[in-house]
Amino acid sequence: MDASEAAEQIAEAGEGDKFRARAALWIGVLALLMAISGLGGGNAAEDMVAANIHASDAWAFYQAKNVRQTANKLAAEQIEAQLLLQGDKVAPQTRKIIEGKIAKMKETAERYEDEPDKEAPNDPLKGEGKKQLMARAKDFEAERDHAGDQDVNFDFADVFLQIAVVLGSVAILAVSRPILLISFVSGSFGALLTLNGFFLWFKLPF
């Protein structure tokens, strides 16, 4: 082996070391991105579950209010019908008392429909009326769907980032720039999806 061949091998070894160092740095960046994506995905999953529970509770409360409202309306209508059938047989004082009870039942039924919070009457999400409960349930459903969209992005981001890490490791062993380039493309997709998981710039078609 002459001096020129030795110099060439040394140069190639030096280039290989630089390549491995850069690839190792890239894998470190991927590991950081995976940690961020995992954290975002975990938070999104927790938010999705919590919002779904709150939505279910709000709808259950809504149904209970609806049952009570219907019961009061039916009771008021039945008493009115009986009062009408009795006609003049009911004493005026008794009729007045019964009519008062009917009016109270109807008032209660109306209150069940729309009962805003006294401390925040203009907030449509606060209160215990059917109107407020429905708005609150739909708001929680919107939060659940938003968190679900985030979670999907984080899930796919994690896949692309893991593929990028594997390819980066293979590139180091093989000292292959094409494989490292594929790793970079996969990692870039993972980084984009991670950012989209936080900001939802666009919605995934699947």
Side-chain angles (χ1 to χ4, degrees):
M1 180 185 296
D2 57 21
S4 60
E5 290 178 349
E8 185 177 345
Q9 289 184 359
I10 292 172
E12 289 177 355
E15 287 297 321
D17 290 340
K18 288 181 181 179
F19 174 82
R20 290 189 177 91
R22 291 170 183 171
L25 179 61
W26 168 240
I27 291 175
V29 172
L30 291 173
L32 176 61
L33 289 173
M34 285 180 64
I36 295 172
S37 177
L39 178 63
N43 289 337
E46 290 177 3
D47 291 343
M48 184 169 56
V49 172
N52 191 54
I53 291 172
H54 290 315
S56 297
D57 290 343
W59 281 122
F61 197 3
Y62 175 91
Q63 292 298 335
K65 283 279 184 178
N66 189 54
V67 170
R68 294 176 188 174
Q69 183 187 48
T70 302
N72 275 276
K73 285 181 178 179
L74 290 174
E77 290 173 359
Q78 288 176 355
I79 295 173
E80 278 183 323
Q82 291 175 0
L83 194 61
L84 184 62
L85 289 174
Q86 293 294 327
D88 296 335
K89 295 180 181 179
V90 180
Q93 188 66 25
T94 304
R95 177 179 293 274
K96 186 176 181 180
I97 294 173
I98 294 174
E99 288 176 345
K101 290 182 177 180
I102 292 172
K104 189 174 182 180
M105 288 179 182
K106 290 183 176 180
E107 181 183 350
T108 300
E110 290 178 4
R111 189 178 73 250
Y112 284 154
E113 186 67 31
D114 186 6
E115 191 176 1
D117 192 332
K118 294 180 180 179
E119 296 182 358
N122 297 322
D123 190 341
L125 301 179
K126 291 185 177 181
E128 295 186 351
K130 286 172 59 182
K131 181 180 178 181
Q132 289 76 29
L133 290 170
M134 179 182 289
R136 193 151 67 241
K138 289 183 176 179
D139 185 66
F140 282 127
E141 287 179 341
E143 288 184 16
R144 177 200 62 197
D145 294 341
H146 182 272
D149 290 338
Q150 288 182 306
D151 190 54
V152 170
N153 278 274
F154 289 124
D155 286 343
F156 280 100
D158 193 51
V159 171
F160 279 109
L161 291 172
Q162 287 189 36
I163 292 173
V165 168
V166 172
L167 291 174
S169 300
V170 172
I172 290 177
L173 294 174
V175 192
S176 172
R177 285 179 173 77
I179 295 178
L180 186 63
L181 178 60
I182 298 173
S183 171
F184 181 77
V185 172
S186 180
S188 297
F189 274 117
L192 177 61
L193 289 171
T194 298
L195 290 173
N196 194 53
F198 286 107
F199 302 107
L200 288 182
W201 293 319
F202 56 87
K203 189 171 182 178
L204 297 179
F206 40 80

